[in-house]
Amino acid sequence: MDSGWMAVWPVAAFFLGGVATQLSGWLAHRRQQLERKQDAADALHARREGFELEHLQKLTDALQVLGRTAARMHHADMMASRETRLYGLTPVGEELSEGNRAASQDVRMLRGLVLDDELREQVKAAQLAINAPSLMHRVDPTAANSAFMESITKLNETQDRIAARIREIYLTSTADQAPALRA
């Protein structure tokens, strides 16, 4: 009986070695699959962040242009109101009006690409507010000036929020890379 068991041990060891090899291969394959999935998720996350950063930076620039054109239009209307005593009575020049229209269109286009719903709505509200004085016709200049000042506040708050989001993206991407840099 001892010799029978002795003959089985090499076969059992061979079989167990094969099972261990198969199990090790399966575990390595599974680990590689998980690493590939993680790499794909990381790449997707990096593309999303890159997209968001690019468009938020462009939106910041577009809001700056819109704010400047709106300020020039407001200034022209305020200067004209000194003579007429009414805001929005005298049309602003075609070049200024077209510049404001183009700047507003740029903001509208970029606003649609903002991923965060609340931030997108805040940009929309700021855009509506900054354009509101240019839509005021035959009103008291004080009311128009008040509306313009409120719109500048909304515009500044929106730009601050965009800047905070940009910082957040950079900080989280830096924190995500820190463990990889240590490894």
Side-chain angles (χ1 to χ4, degrees):
M1 190 147 179
D2 280 335
S3 64
W5 280 106
M6 294 301 273
V8 172
W9 276 115
V11 172
F14 176 76
F15 178 73
L16 289 174
V19 168
T21 300
Q22 289 296 323
L23 181 60
S24 175
W26 180 81
L27 289 173
H29 174 72
R30 183 75 176 133
R31 187 173 40 255
Q32 288 172 348
Q33 276 184 323
L34 292 173
E35 287 172 359
R36 280 193 300 271
K37 283 182 181 179
Q38 185 61 46
D39 289 347
D42 290 347
L44 180 63
H45 181 73
R47 279 196 315 270
R48 180 194 176 281
E49 282 184 341
F51 172 87
E52 188 174 10
L53 279 171
E54 177 184 347
H55 288 90
L56 288 176
Q57 289 166 343
K58 286 180 180 179
L59 179 60
T60 297
D61 293 341
L63 285 168
Q64 282 291 324
V65 171
L66 179 61
R68 284 193 300 271
T69 61
R72 285 195 298 272
M73 288 180 66
H74 177 66
H75 178 71
D77 278 333
M78 289 300 287
M79 291 295 108
S81 73
R82 287 183 175 179
E83 292 177 24
T84 63
R85 305 264 189 250
L86 291 174
Y87 184 91
L89 188 62
T90 308
V92 296
E94 183 64 31
E95 183 179 331
L96 188 54
S97 181
E98 177 56 28
N100 186 262
R101 188 207 59 76
S104 193
Q105 180 63 33
D106 288 346
V107 170
R108 188 174 15 266
M109 179 199 64
L110 292 165
R111 179 184 78 212
L113 300 174
V114 173
L115 300 178
D116 182 274
D117 294 337
E118 288 179 24
L119 181 55
R120 188 172 47 256
E121 287 302 313
Q122 185 174 354
V123 170
K124 183 179 181 179
Q127 182 180 14
L128 291 172
I130 201 73
N131 285 327
S134 67
L135 300 174
M136 299 173 98
H137 299 289
R138 299 178 185 268
V139 298
D140 177 33
T142 306
N145 196 49
S146 178
F148 179 74
M149 297 312 268
E150 287 177 30
S151 75
I152 292 299
T153 299
K154 283 186 180 184
L155 183 65
N156 288 337
E157 289 170 352
T158 301
Q159 288 178 312
D160 288 347
R161 179 127 181 252
I162 291 170
R165 178 61 188 139
I166 290 171
R167 285 190 308 275
E168 179 183 327
I169 292 169
Y170 276 116
L171 289 173
T172 58
S173 67
T174 303
D176 291 344
Q177 291 175 2
L181 296 174
R182 286 186 290 237

